[in-house]
Amino acid sequence: MTPELEPEAIEPSIALADVESSLALFAEGIAGRYLHIRSNQEFAANPKLTLEESGGQNSDTLFLPESVATTHASTYRVLAMEQIGLRECDTLSFRMETAVEQIPSLLQRFQPDPNAGPRVGDYRLLFTSFSQPALAEDLFLLFEETRIQAHLQRAYPGLTKHLQAYHGYLLESQVPADLLEQGKRWRMGEPRKLSDSGLQRTLYEAIAEHRENAATVYDSVTALCEHYEAVLAHYKLEESSYRETDESLVDWLNREQRVEEWEEELEDINEQLSQSMAMEIPTGQEEEAVYGDAGDGSQRQIDLDIKELKDERDTLKRRVDMERSAVAHALGKSQGDARSFRYDEWDYLNRTYLRAWCRVFEQPLGTDGEDDIAPLKAVIRAYQNTVQRQLEQIRPTGLERIRRVQDGDELDLNAVIEARQDIRAGQSADERVYSRKERVQRDVSAIFLVDLSASTDDPIHPPEPRDWSNYEEDESDTRAGWYASFDEIEEEPEEPGRKIIDLEREAMVVMAAALEALGDSYGIYGFSGYSKDNVELFIAKEPDDAFSHTTLKSIAAMAPKGSTRMGPAIRHATQKLMNTGSAMKVLMVISDGFPQDCDYGPVRGNHDYGVEDTAKALQESQQKGIETFCMTVDKSGHDYLKRMCPDERYMIIEEMEDLPSQLTKVYAALTGK
């Protein structure tokens, strides 16, 4: 008889996707600003820069493990606090200039490099002052993490028990490989063994003292200088080679914060320059400032000051631009005012959902540009009467007669008869014998998702191909060179034609004006992005926002961007609609082509995967009671829309100019039930 095989025990774990939303609120409450919570796997900006298993960060993001093999629910809060503590303790404010002033032993080691420019990181200067930079970095971080941990326990006493629980798990699950790994275990509370060597006892006591007394990052640098030689000798005695010197995360974070300080300096210089120019140019004069002379042939001091400020501003601006670009390449670009969310994706090949597969960044459309809203106002005036007539079919009067009320404009005949019968029967009559018309409030929320893919930059009417059948070769002198005939052929430049994005903008302002008059709640969003980790949703108008010039400017700021990953955008819009709590919810998607992205499926260029995921996302919305509809200006849209939507749930716009009016008709049909 064959013995039964016992099932393998599944190690308990906590997934980041399960706690990401609540963890983002927790981190925002502690840091005082929104921080994205993202997986370590999403950190792929610089292949030479690797994160530790516990995570990392940049200016607006905390990168944490995708899962942690522990049952302690507070583990992710501990990991987030360790990253936040890096900034709370001013670790990233380290400056080498200050360090050499305060620490004589570091000054003896430091050899300034005349070829090092101002953009070289301060931590790089620190670590390269030692013979083994990677060893110096690890030893420094051991002391600095000890200081940060002590700060967190003092500032947040409630965190202590969670720290102890998480550290207890690490002490049980990990085995120290070398001296510095053992030092991390001492930092987490493991007691020293009686058999430890002299160096181990010294390092243990140094960590304990540092925990109690260290106040600044320069105390950690001092500890590095004091113990480096002994630790280096330990590794040499064991004849073990230390790790290769990689790019340092703490150095890049330090450089990132330094750029912010440079930008503040740049603002100060611009302010000084503005004040100097205001003193130089009398009020009302519009001429450009001209450097004058002091009467003896020399330039005036104020002109020299202005010139120096301009030179300093230009130099600093170039430095900021180059450094900002380098930091973005290493750590990833800053997401500004965006907030991020993760959604599943439907893998139709395996008939399963990919858990928390796509990340959506929701951010407002920039309205700082000089986008002209006059054409959009003209579109509203042109379509307003037509649209209003179409929407009147939804609610012809907008009034409903309410019966049995105490005051009204008419008697309710049935109520009068019943009251009369009560009186004749000797009973108290109901005084509510009137009826009146009352305006009925429509409880509708709608979201319009507008495709902002790069293809929306295409012209509505492509230029006609030139007919060369009757072309007659001219008799120009070919000996004069290939450029000789250029002066003879002068064609008037063609006016730039209207583009698909122009039609989408116009359709949105028409709908906005119409729905504003109707009173329905509505939101307008553009969507684009590139790759599953960077799906972008741009806010033109939130449902609770009033229609205003800001709305017009946001719509005018809609512009072609990246790819068309529809599934995550639809799922995010669905979630926003569900949060409105309205009785009727409508989702309308306006696009110019099929869903596609660089990694939308295992094989690039296979459109079936994107179509199936989008179809699943629409189906999910419909199952939640949302009325969905897709409109496209792609004349070949039948090929994929009939797979994505039921026949009555999509429309192909044959004539591009019909988009605004057709959009209104569809909306009236969806909400006029």
Side-chain angles (χ1 to χ4, degrees):
M1 186 174 179
T2 305
E4 294 185 1
L5 295 177
E6 294 184 2
E8 293 184 6
I10 300 176
E11 188 177 9
S13 64
I14 300 174
L16 179 61
D18 293 332
V19 300
E20 186 173 317
S21 298
S22 59
L23 191 62
L25 292 174
F26 170 79
E28 185 175 8
I30 296 295
R33 61 191 181 95
Y34 180 79
L35 295 171
H36 300 279
I37 306 296
R38 301 178 66 181
S39 166
N40 281 355
Q41 299 171 11
E42 297 180 66
F43 185 87
N46 185 351
K48 296 182 180 179
L49 195 61
T50 56
L51 300 182
E52 293 186 3
E53 291 184 3
S54 59
Q57 61 173 292
N58 63 15
S59 63
D60 58 11
T61 304
L62 302 181
F63 292 96
L64 301 173
E66 185 63 61
S67 64
V68 179
T70 177
T71 57
H72 296 293
S74 59
T75 297
Y76 275 112
R77 277 180 283 169
V78 171
L79 295 177
M81 287 300 299
E82 288 178 345
Q83 296 299 323
I84 292 173
L86 200 67
R87 295 184 184 274
E88 283 194 357
C89 291
D90 292 330
T91 302
L92 307 182
S93 299
F94 170 77
R95 295 294 175 262
M96 191 64 177
E97 182 180 1
T98 305
V100 294
E101 290 177 358
Q102 295 185 8
I103 308 170
S105 57
L106 178 62
L107 180 60
Q108 296 174 3
R109 293 178 177 274
F110 178 56
Q111 297 293 330
D113 183 356
N115 298 321
R119 291 174 51 211
V120 176
D122 287 274
Y123 275 116
R124 180 181 173 185
L125 294 175
L126 171 65
F127 300 143
T128 54
S129 298
F130 297 83
S131 58
Q132 292 288 334
L135 178 63
E137 179 180 358
D138 288 350
L139 183 57
F140 164 78
L141 289 177
L142 174 61
F143 285 110
E144 185 63 5
E145 287 168 359
T146 300
R147 184 177 76 90
I148 293 172
Q149 179 181 317
H151 160 77
L152 292 176
Q153 290 179 296
R154 288 193 297 267
Y156 307 98
L159 185 67
T160 299
K161 62 179 181 180
H162 303 298
L163 269 170
Q164 292 173 345
Y166 176 59
H167 289 165
Y169 157 75
L170 292 179
L171 292 174
E172 291 177 2
S173 59
Q174 298 177 359
V175 178
D178 59 13
L179 177 64
L180 293 185
E181 288 295 328
Q182 180 61 59
K184 292 181 180 180
R185 297 175 69 86
W186 292 330
R187 173 178 66 81
M188 292 186 286
E190 183 177 73
R192 181 177 62 81
K193 298 177 182 178
L194 295 176
S195 59
D196 286 343
S197 66
L199 175 59
Q200 290 172 323
R201 288 196 300 272
T202 301
L203 188 58
Y204 175 86
E205 293 170 358
I207 291 172
E209 181 183 359
H210 201 71
R211 182 186 297 113
E212 296 296 325
N213 301 322
T216 70
V217 64
Y218 301 102
D219 293 329
S220 298
V221 176
T222 301
L224 163 65
C225 294
E226 290 177 357
H227 299 281
Y228 173 78
E229 294 298 337
V231 172
L232 177 64
H234 168 82
Y235 280 95
K236 283 184 176 180
L237 288 174
E238 290 187 353
E239 297 181 355
S240 59
S241 58
Y242 207 74
R243 66 176 173 85
E244 294 290 331
T245 304
D246 297 323
E247 292 199 42
S248 168
L249 176 61
V250 70
D251 182 52
W252 277 109
L253 293 174
N254 173 260
R255 291 173 65 175
E256 183 180 50
Q257 181 162 317
R258 190 178 59 179
V259 172
E260 297 174 3
E261 296 174 3
W262 287 347
E263 288 175 337
E264 292 177 2
E265 292 179 20
L266 191 59
E267 291 179 5
D268 292 340
I269 293 174
N270 283 329
E271 185 176 350
Q272 294 177 33
L273 192 58
S274 298
Q275 294 175 354
S276 298
M277 297 292 287
M279 294 173 58
E280 172 71 359
I281 304 174
T283 304
Q285 266 191 315
E286 299 180 356
E287 293 83 359
E288 184 178 352
V290 178
Y291 297 124
D293 57 62
D296 57 357
S298 62
Q299 285 185 315
R300 293 177 298 175
Q301 183 61 42
I302 190 169
D303 294 327
L304 293 173
D305 293 341
I306 290 175
K307 186 177 185 304
E308 289 178 2
L309 283 173
K310 284 185 175 181
D311 292 342
E312 185 179 356
R313 176 198 62 188
D314 295 342
T315 301
L316 185 57
K317 188 176 186 308
R318 285 193 296 271
R319 185 193 306 168
V320 166
D321 291 342
M322 289 188 292
E323 186 72 345
R324 178 63 72 186
S325 176
V327 169
H329 177 73
L331 301 177
K333 70 173 184 177
S334 173
Q335 295 296 335
D337 297 330
R339 290 180 176 250
S340 62
F341 310 83
R342 280 208 286 181
Y343 293 95
D344 298 349
E345 184 168 279
W346 175 248
D347 179 3
Y348 88 101
L349 297 172
N350 297 305
R351 313 304 297 173
T352 186
Y353 280 102
L354 299 175
R355 177 86 163 102
W357 189 249
C358 297
R359 182 171 297 279
V360 174
F361 288 96
E362 180 188 286
Q363 54 195 305
L365 276 162
T367 57
D368 297 334
E370 299 298 327
D371 298 301
D372 187 9
I373 63 175
L376 297 182
K377 290 182 177 179
V379 169
I380 294 176
R381 290 192 295 269
Y383 281 91
Q384 191 169 19
N385 293 334
T386 303
V387 169
Q388 285 182 350
R389 284 196 300 269
Q390 291 174 344
L391 292 182
E392 284 175 0
Q393 301 172 16
I394 301 177
R395 188 182 58 183
T397 61
L399 300 175
E400 181 178 331
R401 183 161 292 281
I402 308 299
R403 302 186 183 277
R404 297 183 183 276
V405 295
Q406 287 186 339
D407 297 306
D409 51 14
E410 290 183 7
L411 286 171
D412 184 345
L413 187 57
N414 291 333
V416 170
I417 293 173
E418 291 179 8
R420 187 66 177 170
Q421 290 174 342
D422 290 340
I423 292 173
R424 292 182 65 179
Q427 298 178 358
S428 298
D430 191 342
E431 297 179 356
R432 296 175 297 176
V433 295
Y434 291 94
S435 69
R436 65 170 178 261
K437 287 185 177 181
E438 290 186 355
R439 184 171 296 278
V440 179
Q441 183 66 39
R442 281 166 52 87
D443 190 13
V444 179
S445 287
I447 280 183
F448 298 89
L449 275 181
V450 183
D451 180 4
L452 298 183
S453 59
S455 56
T456 59
D457 199 37
D458 293 343
I460 296 173
H461 302 292
E464 294 291 334
R466 179 172 294 183
D467 183 9
W468 294 97
S469 59
N470 297 322
Y471 173 72
E472 294 182 2
E473 187 174 351
D474 60 13
E475 298 179 356
S476 58
D477 184 5
T478 57
R479 294 175 298 175
W482 58 271
Y483 52 83
S485 60
F486 277 18
D487 294 336
E488 301 172 11
I489 305 174
E490 290 188 3
E491 296 183 358
E492 290 292 329
E494 294 184 3
E495 290 292 328
R498 298 178 69 214
K499 301 177 180 179
I500 296 173
I501 187 67
D502 297 324
L503 255 294
E504 289 180 332
R505 293 192 196 106
E506 293 172 6
M508 287 302 98
V509 296
V510 167
M511 287 304 302
L515 295 182
E516 200 68 26
L518 187 61
D520 285 0
S521 172
Y522 65 98
I524 300 174
Y525 306 89
F527 70 95
S528 182
Y530 189 78
S531 84
K532 70 182 185 68
D533 295 328
N534 189 35
V535 182
E536 297 172 317
L537 194 90
F538 300 95
I539 305 170
K541 182 187 177 300
E542 293 278 22
D544 295 335
D545 294 342
F547 184 75
S548 63
H549 274 74
T550 302
T551 308
L552 283 176
K553 288 182 178 179
S554 296
I555 294 175
M558 285 182 167
K561 296 184 182 295
S563 299
T564 316
R565 203 180 195 107
M566 288 188 184
I570 291 172
R571 291 184 176 96
H572 187 63
T574 297
Q575 186 60 46
K576 293 179 77 70
L577 277 171
M578 296 305 295
N579 292 338
T580 64
S582 297
M584 174 171 278
K585 296 174 275 288
V586 178
L587 173 60
M588 299 188 70
V589 182
I590 300 96
S591 72
D592 74 326
F594 52 82
Q596 61 177 333
D597 199 356
C598 63
D599 57 355
Y600 217 173
V603 180
R604 186 165 186 169
N606 179 7
H607 305 314
D608 292 337
Y609 186 96
V611 168
E612 292 291 339
D613 177 55
T614 304
K616 196 70 171 181
L618 290 168
Q619 183 183 359
E620 294 164 13
S621 297
Q622 293 159 11
Q623 290 172 346
K624 294 177 180 178
I626 296 174
E627 302 286 344
T628 64
F629 200 92
C630 294
M631 304 183 75
T632 183
V633 295
D634 181 10
K635 295 183 180 180
S636 63
H638 286 290
D639 297 338
Y640 54 88
L641 281 177
K642 64 185 178 183
R643 296 169 55 191
M644 288 166 43
C645 320
D647 290 342
E648 69 280 5
R649 292 290 178 174
Y650 74 87
M651 176 183 289
I652 311 295
I653 306 297
E654 298 290 344
E655 297 296 332
M656 303 282 279
E657 302 294 342
D658 292 340
L659 177 58
S661 59
Q662 292 296 332
L663 186 59
T664 312
K665 288 180 181 179
V666 169
Y667 184 82
L670 288 174
T671 63
K673 300 178 180 180

